[in-house]
Amino acid sequence: MGKVKFLLEYSFGHVSPEGLWTSLSTPSGLSCWFADKVYKEDGVLNFVWGKSEAQKAEVLHHRSGFYIRYHWLDDEDPKSYLELKILCDELTMDVVLVVTDFCGEDEKEEAIDLWNNQIASLKKAVGAC
């Protein structure tokens, strides 16, 4: 069974895009909401949850202040990735985060619930509650 791509959009109101970018693209920023600990070693990001769960990711592409695309090194699908993109509405100046991720077809609802919880933590971290 292959993976399916899904996109989620989250409104952050008038939060600073620069502050949000730091939370999405740096080990210290990611440690505040995405994983318990994130550190960079030999150009690879190490994500640690709890005492035993860990994953490594590389940055595939990025445009500073706009989007970053990660690929999990243990993912057998070379076309799957996690992308975090910041958009700003020119009229309202509201900031929107677009999450693009992949999961098994039978895991989509669980993945969306996980993202909803993670983004709630991110909103607290950047003051967008």
Side-chain angles (χ1 to χ4, degrees), residues 45-91:
L45 288 165
N46 294 273
F47 295 82
V48 181
W49 294 272
K51 293 186 181 197
S52 61
E53 188 178 351
Q55 277 189 287
K56 294 182 178 190
E58 63 183 340
V59 175
L60 291 178
H61 305 284
H62 81 282
R63 184 170 147 204
S64 188
F66 181 61
Y67 80 94
I68 191 160
R69 185 178 288 183
Y70 297 101
H71 176 72
W72 300 109
L73 296 182
D74 63 354
D75 193 335
E76 295 177 7
D77 184 353
K79 294 183 180 182
S80 69
Y81 56 86
L82 164 60
E83 183 177 86
L84 305 167
K85 183 185 294 186
I86 299 171
L87 302 176
C88 190
D89 185 297
E90 292 180 20
L91 293 175

Side-chain angles (χ1 to χ4, degrees), residues 73-115:
L73 296 182
D74 63 354
D75 193 335
E76 295 177 7
D77 184 353
K79 294 183 180 182
S80 69
Y81 56 86
L82 164 60
E83 183 177 86
L84 305 167
K85 183 185 294 186
I86 299 171
L87 302 176
C88 190
D89 185 297
E90 292 180 20
L91 293 175
T92 65
M93 299 308 293
D94 283 348
V95 175
V96 174
L97 176 65
V98 179
V99 175
T100 304
D101 201 358
F102 291 77
C103 67
E105 286 186 42
D106 58 338
E107 301 169 333
K108 189 172 178 182
E109 187 173 318
E110 183 180 326
I112 291 170
D113 287 343
L114 177 62
W115 273 113

